[in-house]
Amino acid sequence: MATETNGAETGGLEFHPMDQFIVSPLFSDDASVAWYTITNATFWMALAVLATFAMLVLGSARRSVVPGRMQSVAELAYGFIHKMVEDICGKEGLKFFPYIMTLFMFIVMANFLGLIPTAFTPTAHFSVTVVLALAVFITVTVVGFVKNGAAFLSLFWVSSAPLALRPVLAIIELISYFVRPVSHSIRLAGNVMAGHAVIKVFAGFAAIAVISPVSVLAITAMYGLEVLVAFIQAYVFTILTCVYLKDALHPAH
Amino acid sequence: MATVTTSDGLADATGIATHAAETPGMPQLNFDHWGNQIFWLILALIATYLILSRVALPRIGAVLAERQGTITNDIAAAEDLKVKAQEAEAAYDKALIDARAEAQQIVAQAKADMQADLDAEMSKADAEIAAQVAESEKAIAEIRAGAMDNVQAVAKDTAEALVAALGGTADATTVDAAVDARMKG
C-alpha cells in the first residue's frame, strides 16, 4: 500500500515489483489458498515438469545413434549433469544422478519459464527453495551417517589442523554445516527474485515518456542478465548439491 | 492490488494484526501460501523424478552407451581393415618380386634355348658348307684331271702334226711315249 501512495505523490508512477510473486488460485475468485488449491504456482510447476518431459523424453524418443537436434539437447543435459556428478562425487555418487538431475531440470525449467512475461516463478519463492535445500541437507546427512556411521563426524574434526585449534574449527565447521541449507535456498530464491523485481521497477519507469527508451533498454539488458542468472543459479544449486554429497560419501578432509 | 485488499479483508476477518498487509513487500513471506506451494512442489518433484529415473535417463544412457559401443566397434573394424590392407600390400609386393624373378628366369631360359638352337644350326650349316666345299674340290679335281687328259690328247695330236709337217712319218706309239715322257718330266 505504501508504494501505491508514494506512486501517487510522484506523478502517477506505480511500482508493484512484488506483485508477480503473489500466489493466487487459478479457478476461483476467492483469494483463499488451501494446501490443495490449484494456483498459479501449481500451473507453472506443472509446466516445468512438462517441459522437462518434452525435452528429455520426447527429445530422446527416436533413440537414434546419430542424434537429431532435440536428442542432442537431451543428451547434452544428461552429459552435463552426469559428468558433474561423476567428477565431484566419484563413481559411487552416480547412484544419486537421477535425484540431482531432477533438482537441476526442475530448477532450470522453472527459472526459464519464469522469464516469460507475466509468468510466475516458483524458484523465486523461499517456500520452494527451502524445501529443495532441506531435501538436499537431509539426504546428505542421512547418507553420510548411513554410509560412514560415526565416522561421518570426522567431517567436523579437521585432522590437518593443530590439535589446539581443532575444537574451535569443529564449532565453525558445525555452524557452517547447518548454515548450508539457508545459504543454499536463499541464494537461488534471492537471485531470481531480485532480477525479476528489478525488471518490474524499470518497467514502472517506462510510464514517463522521456525515460521510457532508457527504461526499455535497461529492461532488455536486465533480461539478458536474467537469462544468464536463470541457468547459472540452477547450475550453482546443482554443483553445491554435488559438493555436499561428496562430503557425505567421503567425509575425510 | 486486488490481492492485497483481500488479504486486508482476511486479516480483518480473522482478527490478526494487519502487519502483513501493511508491508506489501514480499509475498514470499506470506506463510499462508507455503503449504500450497510445498504440496505442489513435492508433487512436481516426484513426477519429475519418476519421469527421469523410469524413462528419460535409462533411455538416454542406453543411446549414449550404444553410440560408444558402435564407435569402439568401428574403430576396431578400421584397425582390422588396416592390418588386412597392409597384409595385402605385402602379398602384392611379394607377388611382384616373384613375378619379376620368374620373368628374368624365363628370359634367361629363352636366351639359352635360342643360343643352343643357334649353335646347332651354325654347326649344321658349317658341316653342310664343309661337305659342299669337299664336293666342289672333288669336281674341280675331276675337271682338272679331264683337262690333263685333253692336254695330253692335244699334245699327241700336235706332236703327230708337227712330225708330219717336218716330213717324218709319225709313228703313233713313239709319239705317245715321247709325249708321256715329256708330260711326266
Side-chain angles (χ1 to χ4, degrees):
Chain A
M1 294 271 121
T3 43
E4 203 173 31
T5 326
N6 290 344
E9 280 168 5
T10 53
L13 277 183
E14 286 196 19
F15 293 106
H16 308 297
M18 305 309 273
D19 279 10
Q20 58 181 322
F21 302 120
I22 292 171
V23 177
S24 55
L26 271 192
F27 301 114
S28 126
D29 295 331
D30 183 9
S32 67
V33 174
W35 60 270
Y36 53 82
T37 314
I38 295 177
T39 59
N40 48 356
T42 315
F43 177 66
W44 288 97
M45 285 181 198
L47 276 190
V49 176
L50 277 182
T52 306
F53 179 82
M55 181 169 149
L56 294 183
V57 176
L58 301 185
S60 66
R62 281 201 220 151
R63 302 161 192 258
S64 35
V65 172
V66 180
R69 271 185 229 167
M70 288 307 295
Q71 195 180 320
S72 293
V73 173
E75 283 173 11
L76 208 66
Y78 180 99
F80 179 61
I81 303 300
H82 195 269
K83 188 168 181 299
M84 185 195 292
V85 175
E86 196 175 2
D87 285 354
I88 297 176
C89 306
K91 286 274 180 210
E92 61 264 59
L94 286 179
K95 258 192 316 203
F96 299 93
F97 170 56
Y99 176 69
I100 292 169
M101 188 76 177
T102 301
L103 292 179
F104 176 75
M105 288 311 294
F106 180 78
I107 295 172
V108 86
M109 285 304 178
N111 281 355
F112 275 120
L113 288 170
L115 284 175
I116 298 171
T118 74
F120 176 88
T121 318
T123 40
H125 279 259
F126 296 119
S127 49
V128 169
T129 57
V130 162
V131 170
L132 292 173
L134 272 182
V136 170
F137 179 78
I138 292 168
T139 308
V140 165
T141 310
V142 169
V143 168
F145 278 113
V146 167
K147 273 197 92 90
N148 309 290
F152 183 54
L153 293 174
S154 69
L155 181 64
F156 307 111
W157 197 249
V158 188
S159 52
S160 57
L163 192 59
L165 274 180
R166 283 183 207 172
V168 184
L169 285 176
I171 294 169
I172 294 173
E173 288 282 336
L174 199 65
I175 293 171
S176 85
Y177 187 79
F178 283 98
V179 167
R180 277 178 181 181
V182 179
S183 63
H184 206 186
S185 58
I186 290 180
R187 182 183 301 111
L188 174 60
N191 272 290
V192 175
M193 177 180 68
H196 285 238
V198 166
I199 288 179
K200 271 280 152 63
V201 170
F202 283 145
F205 278 115
I208 304 173
V210 185
I211 304 178
S212 61
V214 182
S215 172
V216 169
L217 276 180
I219 290 172
T220 312
M222 273 309 292
Y223 195 91
L225 187 65
E226 280 311 291
V227 171
L228 285 180
V229 166
F231 178 77
I232 289 169
Q233 286 308 317
Y235 174 72
V236 166
F237 192 96
T238 315
I239 208 165
L240 282 175
T241 305
C242 290
V243 170
Y244 297 161
L245 199 60
K246 189 201 75 179
D247 284 347
L249 296 170
H250 321 279
H253 267 280
Chain B
M1 295 309 280
T3 326
V4 176
T5 319
T6 14
S7 76
D8 256 338
L10 267 182
D12 287 345
T14 47
I16 304 170
T18 53
H19 179 74
E22 280 163 9
T23 53
M26 295 182 67
Q28 283 93 335
L29 297 182
N30 182 350
F31 291 98
D32 294 346
H33 295 161
W34 276 47
N36 178 271
Q37 290 195 313
I38 290 169
F39 169 67
W40 289 111
L41 170 69
I42 289 170
L43 271 193
L45 287 181
I46 290 172
T48 310
Y49 182 79
L50 289 180
I51 289 170
L52 291 188
S53 63
R54 292 291 156 85
V55 187
L57 299 185
R59 188 191 282 175
I60 297 173
V63 169
L64 291 178
E66 190 189 340
R67 178 173 316 148
Q68 198 54 50
T70 310
I71 290 170
T72 314
N73 285 344
D74 284 358
I75 287 174
E79 287 290 335
D80 268 9
L81 289 177
K82 199 176 163 192
V83 169
K84 270 185 195 160
Q86 276 168 349
E87 277 170 6
E89 200 187 342
Y92 168 77
D93 282 348
K94 191 168 171 297
L96 202 63
I97 289 166
D98 285 356
R100 216 168 257 161
E102 204 174 332
Q104 267 165 358
Q105 207 178 335
I106 288 169
V107 166
Q109 182 72 44
K111 234 180 223 172
D113 282 358
M114 278 164 73
Q115 194 62 48
D117 281 357
L118 194 63
D119 287 352
E121 290 290 326
M122 285 287 264
S123 55
K124 198 173 155 197
D126 281 352
E128 264 173 30
I129 290 165
Q132 274 179 5
V133 165
E135 212 167 290
S136 304
E137 273 172 357
K138 198 176 151 197
I140 290 167
E142 270 172 19
I143 291 164
R144 190 176 279 158
M148 287 298 259
D149 284 353
N150 287 347
V151 167
Q152 216 163 359
V154 170
K156 280 173 187 171
D157 286 351
T158 312
E160 273 176 34
L162 274 172
V163 171
L166 291 172
T169 315
D171 179 12
T173 327
T174 320
V175 172
D176 281 353
V179 169
D180 282 346
R182 278 281 179 193
M183 291 283 283
K184 278 171 191 168

